[in-house]
């Protein structure tokens, strides 16, 4: 099953199964990409997942983090969502001399690999809590802002 969206001013969907396609039809059940309502609707949609994760408190132990992953996996299965396992990793934030965990984390049946960094909103978080990459981003952002404010 594939949803095809017609391009142009009046975007209308149709349903395509293999080589068979329905006609174009109107539907009131959609939000255009980039619509200001999209973030609010997304927040409502994932609110029950956020509440379930919040109940588990901080994942300060490996088994608690695995519990959070299980909660998220159950939620994804309930709503028929998939997570890209090749883009899902574990970062063990710790002091430089503390050894990395050897716990095997799973998302469903997929084993998650460890990675050294996590990038969020352009800021790189390092496993040993070094922020040199963040300073470089900050400097770059400052220069860009200076260029914008001069114009």
């Amino acid at each position: 099953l594939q949803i095809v969206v017609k391009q142009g001013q009046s975007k209308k969907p149709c349903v395509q199964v293999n080589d068979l396609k329905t006609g174009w039809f109107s539907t009131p059940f959609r939000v255009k990409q980039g619509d200001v309502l999209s973030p609010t609707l997304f927040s409502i949609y994932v609110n029950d997942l956020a509440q379930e994760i919040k109940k588990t408190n901080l994942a300060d132990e490996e088994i608690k983090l695995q519990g959070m992953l299980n909660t998220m996996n159950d939620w994804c299965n309930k709503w028929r969502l998939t997570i890209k396992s090749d883009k899902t990793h574990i970062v063990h934030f710790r002091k430089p001399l503390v050894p990395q965990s050897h716990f095997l984390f799973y998302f469903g049946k997929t084993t998650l690999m460890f990675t050294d960094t996590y990038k969020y909103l352009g800021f790189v978080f390092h496993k040993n809590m070094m922020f040199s990459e963040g300073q470089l981003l900050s400097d770059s952002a400052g220069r860009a802002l200076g260029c914008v404010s001069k114009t």
Side-chain angles (χ1 to χ4, degrees), residues 43-110:
S43 294
I44 292 168
Y45 182 70
V46 299
N47 188 52
D48 60 329
L49 173 62
Q51 289 175 346
E52 288 298 315
I53 295 292
K54 191 175 181 179
K55 285 180 192 175
T56 63
N57 292 319
L58 181 66
D60 57 350
E61 298 173 7
E62 294 152 329
I63 198 72
K64 287 183 182 179
L65 178 57
Q66 183 59 59
M68 285 182 170
L69 290 167
N70 294 344
T71 298
M72 185 163 182
N73 184 58
D74 293 345
W75 185 86
C76 288
N77 288 335
K78 175 183 173 183
W79 294 105
R80 298 179 182 171
L81 298 175
T82 57
I83 299 294
K84 292 187 179 243
S85 57
D86 61 325
K87 293 186 175 187
T88 306
H89 298 89
I90 300 290
V91 180
H92 178 191
F93 294 106
R94 62 196 186 280
K95 294 181 180 177
L97 297 179
V98 175
Q100 179 173 291
S101 170
H102 293 292
F103 191 88
L104 290 178
F105 292 99
Y106 293 91
F107 192 82
K109 295 180 181 180
T110 303

Side-chain angles (χ1 to χ4, degrees), residues 4-14 24-27 30 32:
V4 178
V5 179
K6 184 177 181 180
Q7 300 298 316
Q9 283 290 61
S10 59
K11 292 184 178 183
K12 293 183 177 183
C14 75
W24 299 103
F25 57 91
S26 297
T27 176
R30 69 172 189 257
K32 291 181 183 176

